[in-house]
Amino acid sequence: AYGTSTIEVLVGSAGIYRLRVPAATTADSIANGMQGDARLLYAEPNYSSEAPEGNPRHIGSWGGPDDSGAAEQYAFDMLGLPDAHQLMRGQGVVVAVLDTGVQLDHPDLAGTWTAARYDFIDDDEDPTDLADGQDNDGDGYIDEAFGHGTHVSGIVHLTAPEAQIMPLRVLEADGHGNIFVIAEAIQFAVDNGADIINLSLGSAQESELMEDILKDVIEDHDVVVVAAAGNLDSNEKQFPASEEEVLAVTSIDERSRKSDFANYGEWIDVAAPGETILSAFPVSDQATWSGTSMAVPFVSGHAALIRSALPAMQSTEIMAYIRVSAQSLDSLNPSFEDELGTGRINIGGSIRAICTEDGTCS
């Protein structure tokens, strides 16, 4: 009726389609017309989404292939990871990382990947982080997000070293993707046993499709979803982080002060270290990177440790426990009172509160 053609159907969905609009019109105008059609629940443009760190100013020095410094950086002790790892290391839990892909044979990560994996950009089963040497978004930078997914996965592994990681490529090397592809990947993650979904990405555009998928994932599949608050130094909501069903994570520095780039607001849930974080980087290397994307996998790893300790704990309860066990940052950030969530996540303290030295957790 609208002259559109169907490009694809959302995997596992009941009637969610990606459409191509006629050449003489726009996605916005077609979507606006469809919104009033009683036969349709909703219609919207296929919004773009991106890694907040798609800018070289956020990436720091390469640390070399030796990863020994990762466990010596400030975030490791700040979050109480040595205490947590004495009791729980994430065994039996799967964290899906939806990002730019990964270096599958990175020496620090090669044993962590699940057999279930996919590249939703190239539509194949090899989610390798690829650089094409092109400035595809015309911003003057080439492949500025290359390595992002590997770096994020390394932080998950640092936090929950025995959890498995499901690599799903939804962003290209400049850090761009779209909502439909991300929704497909979320559905794939759930269908293949993910317990936690790490979304170190976001958009300023609210999406009914994303809200629809996330409600289904959390309510019907008991999955914890964690997303980046964004790097605009703004209180403007980012999506999907600001959705009620998602843990929105902002970034702090080594002094527990809000990072100068980090978003804030009453929609934030918690904060985690996100400045100069040392983690895996292609090829077979280490690098420091800063951004709310780096804070997110600390929270995903935290959720993995809790689920490993208490497998029957529901996703909404895990999210609530991460919030209530956090340490307030208001006194250190008086200009952002009540705008950094409930505070800095407390991984060590929260695990010690539910697990004893003999490994019994309740």
Side-chain angles (χ1 to χ4, degrees), residues 18 27-28 31-32 35 43-50 176-182 202-210 239:
R18 185 159 73 101
D28 278 319
N32 288 335
Q35 284 285 18
E44 64 187 16
N46 187 20
Y47 298 118
S48 63
S49 189
E50 62 185 2
H176 298 285
N178 64 72
I179 294 298
F180 193 91
V181 161
I182 293 166
S203 170
Q205 300 288 341
E206 187 171 10
S207 164
E208 290 187 78
L209 168 58
M210 186 59 65
F239 301 92

Side-chain angles (χ1 to χ4, degrees), residues 280-308:
F281 193 80
V283 177
S284 302
D285 215 333
Q286 297 281 312
T288 60
W289 209 329
S290 299
T292 56
S293 282
M294 284 66 245
V296 172
F298 282 118
V299 180
S300 293
H302 189 188
L305 295 178
I306 297 170
R307 173 141 288 177
S308 182

Side-chain angles (χ1 to χ4, degrees), residues 50-53 97-99 148 152 171 198-202 226-228 292-297:
E50 62 185 2
E53 291 72 41
V97 174
L98 281 63
D99 216 288
H148 193 270
V152 166
L171 305 174
N198 188 103
L199 300 174
S200 289
L201 49 79
V226 191
T292 56
S293 282
M294 284 66 245
V296 172

Side-chain angles (χ1 to χ4, degrees), residues 137-213:
D137 55 6
D139 65 354
Y141 300 111
I142 295 174
D143 298 329
E144 57 264 39
F146 173 68
H148 193 270
T150 301
H151 198 273
V152 166
S153 296
I155 300 170
V156 172
H157 181 61
L158 178 70
T159 310
E162 293 184 17
Q164 287 189 288
I165 298 174
M166 182 186 298
L168 303 176
R169 184 171 178 246
V170 299
L171 305 174
E172 39 85 273
D174 282 348
H176 298 285
N178 64 72
I179 294 298
F180 193 91
V181 161
I182 293 166
E184 280 188 306
I186 290 172
Q187 191 68 56
F188 179 95
V190 169
D191 291 344
N192 286 277
D195 299 288
I196 321 293
I197 294 177
N198 188 103
L199 300 174
S200 289
L201 49 79
S203 170
Q205 300 288 341
E206 187 171 10
S207 164
E208 290 187 78
L209 168 58
M210 186 59 65
E211 184 178 1
D212 195 7
I213 293 296

Side-chain angles (χ1 to χ4, degrees), residues 282-333:
V283 177
S284 302
D285 215 333
Q286 297 281 312
T288 60
W289 209 329
S290 299
T292 56
S293 282
M294 284 66 245
V296 172
F298 282 118
V299 180
S300 293
H302 189 188
L305 295 178
I306 297 170
R307 173 141 288 177
S308 182
L310 299 171
M313 196 172 187
Q314 295 181 353
S315 60
T316 52
E317 295 172 328
I318 293 173
M319 293 164 68
Y321 186 47
I322 290 173
R323 292 188 195 100
V324 300
S325 62
Q327 299 169 313
S328 175
L329 295 170
D330 286 349
S331 63
L332 294 171
N333 296 271

Side-chain angles (χ1 to χ4, degrees), residues 39-306:
R39 297 169 296 178
L40 303 174
L41 290 175
Y42 57 80
E44 64 187 16
N46 187 20
Y47 298 118
S48 63
S49 189
E50 62 185 2
E53 291 72 41
N55 185 320
R57 77 180 181 86
H58 290 296
I59 194 165
S61 60
W62 276 256
D66 181 8
D67 71 337
S68 60
E72 298 171 1
Q73 59 188 313
Y74 75 92
F76 203 76
D77 288 326
M78 172 187 278
L79 300 177
L81 287 174
D83 281 346
H85 290 168
Q86 288 178 10
L87 303 173
M88 199 56 53
R89 295 174 62 83
Q91 56 271 30
V93 178
V94 174
V95 181
V97 174
L98 281 63
D99 216 288
T100 61
V102 296
Q103 183 194 342
L104 290 168
D105 62 351
H106 195 289
D108 300 332
L109 301 172
T112 68
W113 312 122
T114 59
R117 57 187 70 171
Y118 205 79
D119 182 341
F120 290 88
I121 300 297
D122 291 339
D123 198 22
D124 60 43
E125 296 182 356
D126 181 9
T128 296
D129 200 342
L130 299 172
D132 64 7
Q134 303 294 318
D135 179 14
N136 295 306
D137 55 6
D139 65 354
Y141 300 111
I142 295 174
D143 298 329
E144 57 264 39
F146 173 68
H148 193 270
T150 301
H151 198 273
V152 166
S153 296
I155 300 170
V156 172
H157 181 61
L158 178 70
T159 310
E162 293 184 17
Q164 287 189 288
I165 298 174
M166 182 186 298
L168 303 176
R169 184 171 178 246
V170 299
L171 305 174
E172 39 85 273
D174 282 348
H176 298 285
N178 64 72
I179 294 298
F180 193 91
V181 161
I182 293 166
E184 280 188 306
I186 290 172
Q187 191 68 56
F188 179 95
V190 169
D191 291 344
N192 286 277
D195 299 288
I196 321 293
I197 294 177
N198 188 103
L199 300 174
S200 289
L201 49 79
S203 170
Q205 300 288 341
E206 187 171 10
S207 164
E208 290 187 78
L209 168 58
M210 186 59 65
E211 184 178 1
D212 195 7
I213 293 296
L214 290 172
K215 281 185 177 179
D216 175 67
V217 163
I218 293 164
E219 293 175 5
D220 296 341
H221 298 281
D222 199 30
V223 173
V224 176
V225 182
V226 191
N231 299 337
L232 303 173
D233 187 25
S234 165
N235 62 2
E236 179 184 0
K237 287 184 176 181
Q238 296 293 298
F239 301 92
S242 60
E243 297 286 2
E244 185 178 349
E245 300 83 5
V246 178
L247 277 173
V249 184
T250 195
S251 169
I252 53 174
D253 63 15
E254 69 275 8
R255 300 176 300 163
S256 291
R257 307 284 177 85
K258 186 190 87 69
S259 298
D260 60 359
F261 54 77
N263 284 0
Y264 54 92
E266 294 183 356
W267 53 278
I268 301 293
D269 288 294
V270 289
E275 291 198 36
T276 59
I277 303 300
L278 182 66
S279 182
F281 193 80
V283 177
S284 302
D285 215 333
Q286 297 281 312
T288 60
W289 209 329
S290 299
T292 56
S293 282
M294 284 66 245
V296 172
F298 282 118
V299 180
S300 293
H302 189 188
L305 295 178
I306 297 170

